């Protein structure tokens, strides 16, 4: 098939048969290598979307590909009615990073968060009178995003996500990120947990400050609430630490993970600290697909490569220069750019106008990036993006800003 036929055909197939729940870019991607992807016309792009922080090692890292290919020829799925070596080993490696506790594997961020919300209910039973419905409230943050399931949506106070799907799951209340008092004011006898993203991703790349996170930790310890952190987007090395909360030197009671953990293979996980892990007993939760030999092999390859290639150090080192370059864009183009936020390779550029137009212009100029709430252009390069690739993104952005200046 010629490239033209593939292009037309794919666009037609989407128009005719794929659910219209996404406003998709008019782009069909067919191949990727490292931080680059190519469309069906052979045009190359620098990919700083990384499949929304998923392709942590870039596309088709040779060791990852080899590991997944080998495992696919060995054993793919057995269900959780049996053990498999990769799940045991991956759990050990995550416990090593998160602290004493236990891990449950699932397939996505929303599923990981459902697990955490069920944990909050179990903790509420332990804390309350042992009766259901007495202690079940979960405090979340304004502008949060925790996924599209009913639990996740209920924890996501945005009209565009909740609207048309009510009634939601009861028991959620919302404080303001980085306003500790606003959370303290919401705590009552029915409160079981506080649940926030360490860095809000979809909401506009809004970091919880170390001081705020330590304040939440203290509140939770004081009132016997679980501190549950959603690290689905900011975890797995994106900020230069394996978990973003490590920057604040706090320890949560539970963590939700997904996205970058599998390097492109769907996997989610929750880690629960040792004082609460035993709340889940046989029959209390489950999954058919979670923790397959194949998914866990993919995640083990990600952890191996993060360690062997010293990617946490790489992100920490390279982000210093890269952030400085991006900040200088803010200084050069104050008429378009308000500022930058974020940490490591999770950056948000706050624009003065709707980010959608900028994202489209950047795409035309050869750079793929996602947007985020509140006029924000997000940049999520793979953790192994080189200094030259980071610089290239800045150059493309500068060119696009300059073109708009002239217009
Ligand atoms: C993406 C995301 C989710 C949802 O993950 P899915 O895999 O899309 O279900 C939840 N929380 C955060 C912080 C996310 O960024």
């Amino acid at each position: 098939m010629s490239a033209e036929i593939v292009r037309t055909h794919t666009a037609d197939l989407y128009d005719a048969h794929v659910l219209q729940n996404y406003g998709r870019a008019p782009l069909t991607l067919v191949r990727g290598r490292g931080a680059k992807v190519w469309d069906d016309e052979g045009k190359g792009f620098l990919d700083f979307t990384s499949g929304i922080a998923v392709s942590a090692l870039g596309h088709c890292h040779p060791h990852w590909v080899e590991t997944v290919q080998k495992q696919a020829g060995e054993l793919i799925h057995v269900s959780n009615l049996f053990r498999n070596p990769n799940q045991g080993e991956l759990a050990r490696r995550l416990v090593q990073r998160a602290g004493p506790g236990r891990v449950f594997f699932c397939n996505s961020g929303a599923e990981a968060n459902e697990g955490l919300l069920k944990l909050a209910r179990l903790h509420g039973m332990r804390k309350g009178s042992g009766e259901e419905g007495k202690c079940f409230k979960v405090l979340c943050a304004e502008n949060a995003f925790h996924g599209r399931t009913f639990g996740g949506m209920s924890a996501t106070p945005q009209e565009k996500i909740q609207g048309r799907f009510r009634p939601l799951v009861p028991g959620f209340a919302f404080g303001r990120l980085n306003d500790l008092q606003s959370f303290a004011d919401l705590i009552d006898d029915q409160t079981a947990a506080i649940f926030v993203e360490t860095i809000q991703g979809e909401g506009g790349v809004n970091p919880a400050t170390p001081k705020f996170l330590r304040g939440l930790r203290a509140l939770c310890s004081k009132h016997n609430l679980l501190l549950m952190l959603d690290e689905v987007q900011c975890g797995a090395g994106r900020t230069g630490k394996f978990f973003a909360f490590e920057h604040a030197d706090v320890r949560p009671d539970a963590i939700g993970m997904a996205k970058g953990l599998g390097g492109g293979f769907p996997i989610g996980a929750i880690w629960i600290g040792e004082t609460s892990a035993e709340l889940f007993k046989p029959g209390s939760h489950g999954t058919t697909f979670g923790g397959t030999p194949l998914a866990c092999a993919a995640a083990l390859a990600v952890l191996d490569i993060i360690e062997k290639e010293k990617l946490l150090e790489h992100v920490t080192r390279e982000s210093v220069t890269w952030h400085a370059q991006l900040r200088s864009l803010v200084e050069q183009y104050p008429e378009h750019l308000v500022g930058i936020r974020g940490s490591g390779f999770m950056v948000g550029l706050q624009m003065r106008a709707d980010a959608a137009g900028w994202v489209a212009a950047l795409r035309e100029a050869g750079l793929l990036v996602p947007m985020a709430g509140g006029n924000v252009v997000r940049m999520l390069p793979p953790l192994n993006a080189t200094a030259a690739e980071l610089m290239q993104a800045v150059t493309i952005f500068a060119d696009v800003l300059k073109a708009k200046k002239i217009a």
Side-chain angles (χ1 to χ4, degrees), residues 22 52 107-113 145-149 195 197 199-202 230-234 258-259 267 346 378:
Y22 269 95
I52 320 184
N107 310 286
S108 68
E111 259 183 86
N113 290 340
F145 180 82
H146 296 295
R148 304 290 197 146
T149 50
F195 181 36
E197 293 155 272
I199 302 175
Q200 291 185 337
E202 304 306 309
D230 183 344
E231 291 252 343
V232 167
Q233 187 161 153
C234 61
K259 292 204 164 102
I267 185 169
M346 179 174 182
R378 226 176 336 166

Side-chain angles (χ1 to χ4, degrees), residues 82-287:
F82 308 99
R83 293 190 288 263
N84 78 75
N86 292 349
Q87 183 175 147
E89 175 59 11
L90 182 58
R92 184 185 75 81
R93 298 272 289 273
L94 292 176
V95 164
Q96 210 172 38
R97 292 204 172 264
R102 293 180 179 277
V103 180
F104 167 80
F105 293 104
C106 52
N107 310 286
S108 68
E111 259 183 86
N113 290 340
E114 290 302 310
L116 295 180
L117 295 174
K118 285 177 75 171
L119 172 69
R121 293 281 175 103
L122 293 174
H123 175 68
M125 294 277 288
R126 169 171 68 182
K127 188 188 162 194
S129 54
E131 235 181 293
E132 282 183 307
K134 293 283 178 208
C135 178
F136 63 99
K137 286 190 188 164
V138 177
L139 310 183
C140 299
E142 289 173 5
N143 291 313
F145 180 82
H146 296 295
R148 304 290 197 146
T149 50
F150 270 94
M153 269 196 306
S154 306
T156 300
Q158 298 177 47
E159 187 55 29
K160 68 171 193 253
I161 285 171
Q162 296 183 338
R164 295 151 294 139
F165 296 109
R166 297 186 180 89
L168 299 168
V169 179
F172 290 90
F174 302 92
R176 275 178 304 279
L177 190 74
N178 295 326
D179 177 349
L180 193 63
Q181 193 58 45
S182 73
F183 277 78
D185 290 343
L186 293 170
I187 296 172
D188 62 21
D189 288 346
Q190 295 188 313
T191 310
I194 294 180
F195 181 36
V196 297
E197 293 155 272
T198 316
I199 302 175
Q200 291 185 337
E202 304 306 309
V205 190
N206 307 309
T209 64
K211 186 169 166 241
F212 175 69
L213 289 170
R214 286 195 291 266
L216 288 185
R217 174 70 275 174
L219 272 184
C220 287
S221 299
K222 183 175 166 204
H223 296 278
N224 189 16
L225 316 176
L226 295 183
L227 177 60
M228 313 196 301
L229 294 179
D230 183 344
E231 291 252 343
V232 167
Q233 187 161 153
C234 61
R238 187 137 289 280
T239 66
K241 301 268 191 198
F242 189 76
F243 294 113
F245 63 74
E246 293 174 48
H247 293 283
D249 212 17
V250 291
R251 285 289 155 180
D253 298 298
I255 308 164
M257 296 165 246
K259 292 204 164 102
L261 184 61
F265 201 94
I267 185 169
I270 54 176
W271 168 90
I272 306 174
E274 55 187 349
T275 55
S276 296
E278 312 306 329
L279 289 171
F280 279 103
K281 300 202 167 13
S284 54
H285 197 40
T287 168

Side-chain angles (χ1 to χ4, degrees), residues 32-37 47 57-61 382 384 389:
R33 186 67 82 223
K36 260 192 111 174
V37 285
D47 182 11
L57 310 171
H59 298 281
C60 303
H61 187 290
N384 54 3
E389 286 162 343

